């Protein structure tokens, strides 16, 4: 959704990963691009993706996504949502940007964001707290520090990097709405997480895909070098 506003960090790659992992398993997959110039938000998609972007763009994204409550209705009907970084902040209850302005988010996840003292930039790895995911990794680049509401679960516990910047937590999970600070794109670097979201969306366990041990080993080696 709104890659014209929240497209700075290449998070659109998450859509390509989800579609390809479905097609490899014989499912049909269609990627629908929703621009901020569109008049309506399609409400029948199974998965909605929001990427990261600049503070001003985030504010415009809230204005677009709050209009008509289409995303809220889709979530109420069981749609899966993944919000990355600026997307996390937009899906939360409120965020304060670097210029000190506070504004309401979409309120789909109980998480609030305030600016930190300096940007968190670099590799981020976490122990995933969602069933079916192990270590999650990606890169982060954000000023915001996010605090989870009392009943909101984190997506992961920080092993390396900043994440939410509060309580050693990273991201948030509320029902089928998943938020993270992981760019990468996150689902290319963490296919297990892609498969969790897909299994929620299709409503069944997904068949395993062929594994590539050389690729897994290469990823692990690179992470060791960077951590
Ligand atoms: N503008 C937000 C921040 O700096 C989000 C940045 C991003 O999406 N990477 O906190």
């Amino acid at each position: 959704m709104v890659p014209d506003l929240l497209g700075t960090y290449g998070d659109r790659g998450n859509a390509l990963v989800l579609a390809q992992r479905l097609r490899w398993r014989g499912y049909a997959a269609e990627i629908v691009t929703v621009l901020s110039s569109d008049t309506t938000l399609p409400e029948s998609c199974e998965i909605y993706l929001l990427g990261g972007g600049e503070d001003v763009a985030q504010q415009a994204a809230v204005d677009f996504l709050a209009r008509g409550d289409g995303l809220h209705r889709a979530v109420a009907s069981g749609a899966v949502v993944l919000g990355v970084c600026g997307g996390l902040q937009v899906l939360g209850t409120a965020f304060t940007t670097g210029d000190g302005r506070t504004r309401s988010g979409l309120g789909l996840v109980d998480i609030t964001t305030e600016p930190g003292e300096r940007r968190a930039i670099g590799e981020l790895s976490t122990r995933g707290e969602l069933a079916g995911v192990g270590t999650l990794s990606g890169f982060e680049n954000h000023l915001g520090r996010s605090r989870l509401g009392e009943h909101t679960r984190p997506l992961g516990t920080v092993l390396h990097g900043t994440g939410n910047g509060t309580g050693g937590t990273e991201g948030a999970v509320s029902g089928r709405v998943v938020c993270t600070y992981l760019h990468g794109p996150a689902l290319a670097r963490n296919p297990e997480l892609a498969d969790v979201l897909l299994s929620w969306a299709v409503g069944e366990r997904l068949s395993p895909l062929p594994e590539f041990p050389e690729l897994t080993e290469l990823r692990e080696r690179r992470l060791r070098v960077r951590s």
Side-chain angles (χ1 to χ4, degrees):
M1 286 186 294
V2 291
D4 52 333
L5 296 173
L6 299 178
T8 314
Y9 295 88
D11 300 310
R12 188 177 186 278
N14 290 324
L16 304 179
V17 172
L18 290 170
Q20 191 57 41
R21 294 185 78 77
L22 279 177
R23 290 182 189 129
W24 276 334
R25 293 173 164 112
Y27 293 93
E30 185 192 355
I31 299 175
V32 178
T33 303
V34 181
L35 297 174
S36 65
S37 53
D38 290 352
T39 42
T40 51
L41 183 99
E43 292 179 34
S44 58
C45 297
E46 277 86 12
I47 304 181
Y48 292 81
L49 300 173
L50 263 185
E54 293 78 15
D55 290 353
V56 173
Q58 283 177 216
Q59 296 172 4
V62 174
D63 291 340
F64 173 77
L65 294 167
R67 214 189 304 151
D69 281 339
L71 186 59
H72 288 81
R73 278 195 296 278
V75 169
S77 326
V80 176
V81 181
L82 175 68
V84 179
C85 200
L88 169 154
Q89 299 174 12
V90 163
L91 291 168
T93 39
F95 58 91
T96 305
T97 44
D99 58 6
R101 279 190 64 196
T102 300
R103 63 159 306 155
S104 300
L106 297 171
L108 287 166
V109 181
D110 187 6
I111 188 166
T112 53
T113 301
E114 293 189 358
E117 277 173 20
R118 65 184 75 87
R119 285 190 86 76
I121 303 175
E123 283 295 312
L124 169 62
S125 62
T126 69
R127 191 185 64 237
E129 300 292 343
L130 201 59
V133 299
T135 306
L136 295 169
S137 78
F139 71 90
E140 60 183 334
N141 184 348
H142 55 101
L143 183 65
R145 300 294 186 271
S146 299
R147 190 169 295 282
L148 298 171
E150 213 183 318
H151 301 293
T152 308
R153 292 184 295 150
L155 174 62
T157 300
V158 175
L159 299 171
H160 178 88
T162 301
N164 294 341
T166 59
T169 61
E170 197 295 304
V173 181
S174 177
R176 290 178 166 198
V177 182
V178 175
C179 298
T180 181
Y181 273 106
L182 294 167
H183 296 293
L187 301 183
R189 286 185 54 160
N190 305 283
E192 293 169 340
L193 180 58
D195 284 355
V196 168
L197 303 184
L198 287 173
S199 66
W200 290 350
V202 302
E204 57 188 17
R205 252 180 115 92
L206 296 170
S207 54
L209 291 174
E211 294 194 16
F212 300 96
E214 311 81 359
L215 199 60
T216 311
E217 209 271 322
L218 179 67
R219 261 202 204 113
E220 281 169 5
R221 194 154 18 105
R222 286 193 172 153
L223 274 177
R224 274 199 299 275
V225 171
R226 286 171 188 198
S227 55

